[in-house]
Amino acid sequence: MRHISKRWLQGLGLEFWLPLPVVAIAFWFGCSFLAAGQLSQSYSTEKKLQSDTQLEARLSVNVLLINATVNRTQKITQVEVETADPILKRLELELPTIEFSQIEVTIAQELGLPREDVRKLVRYEIVN
């Protein structure tokens, strides 16, 4: 009888499958124990997140054209920058000045370009 049951278990592959749930449960308890140990530890951070600071990002784009609309009555200049970048095709700026030299300096600072390049690319339109 014992010989028949052993062959029957081998035929079904139960010698492999019967201890598998025991191994799985042992693995689960072991992992749970290790995870609980890791999660209960306190970690000190050297750097803290500051939420009151503003992040400044600089983009390097190929500028095709700069249109500046100077509004003398409102004392502002609307600037549209067209680029060759497929992601950032157009950039809009509003500057609180109507002085041409100050407009060029501000655009150069914002785009990270030399002022001479901005002077060559900018086209002005004056609105009263």
Side-chain angles (χ1 to χ4, degrees):
M1 174 84 171
R2 184 164 205 202
H3 184 49
I4 295 173
S5 65
K6 189 171 185 178
R7 278 190 165 202
W8 184 71
L9 287 175
Q10 285 178 342
L12 293 175
L14 292 180
E15 282 184 337
F16 172 75
W17 294 106
L18 284 177
L20 197 59
V22 175
V23 171
I25 290 170
F27 182 75
W28 182 72
F29 276 118
C31 288
S32 297
F33 178 73
L34 288 174
Q38 287 294 316
L39 292 174
S40 65
Q41 289 182 359
S42 64
Y43 295 99
S44 62
T45 57
E46 298 296 323
K47 295 181 181 178
K48 297 184 186 206
L49 179 64
Q50 293 181 344
S51 62
D52 60 342
T53 60
Q54 187 175 9
L55 180 65
E56 184 175 322
R58 292 284 175 192
L59 297 174
S60 175
V61 293
N62 189 11
V63 178
L64 298 175
L65 180 67
I66 302 172
N67 290 322
T69 305
V70 179
N71 191 325
R72 289 188 175 171
T73 57
Q74 294 180 355
K75 306 243 187 259
I76 60 169
T77 302
Q78 299 281 347
V79 180
E80 291 182 3
V81 181
E82 294 180 21
T83 70
D85 191 275
I87 296 171
L88 181 66
K89 292 205 178 266
R90 198 169 100 189
L91 180 66
E92 295 180 359
L93 304 169
E94 185 174 304
L95 308 177
T97 184
I98 58 172
E99 299 291 327
F100 295 119
S101 61
Q102 187 62 35
I103 293 168
E104 291 170 2
V105 167
T106 307
I107 292 171
Q109 288 173 349
E110 289 291 325
L111 299 178
L113 295 173
R115 186 174 173 195
E116 294 78 29
D117 291 350
V118 171
R119 185 174 291 140
K120 292 175 187 175
L121 293 169
V122 72
R123 304 292 178 253
Y124 291 101
E125 178 184 350
I126 299 173
V127 178
N128 289 328

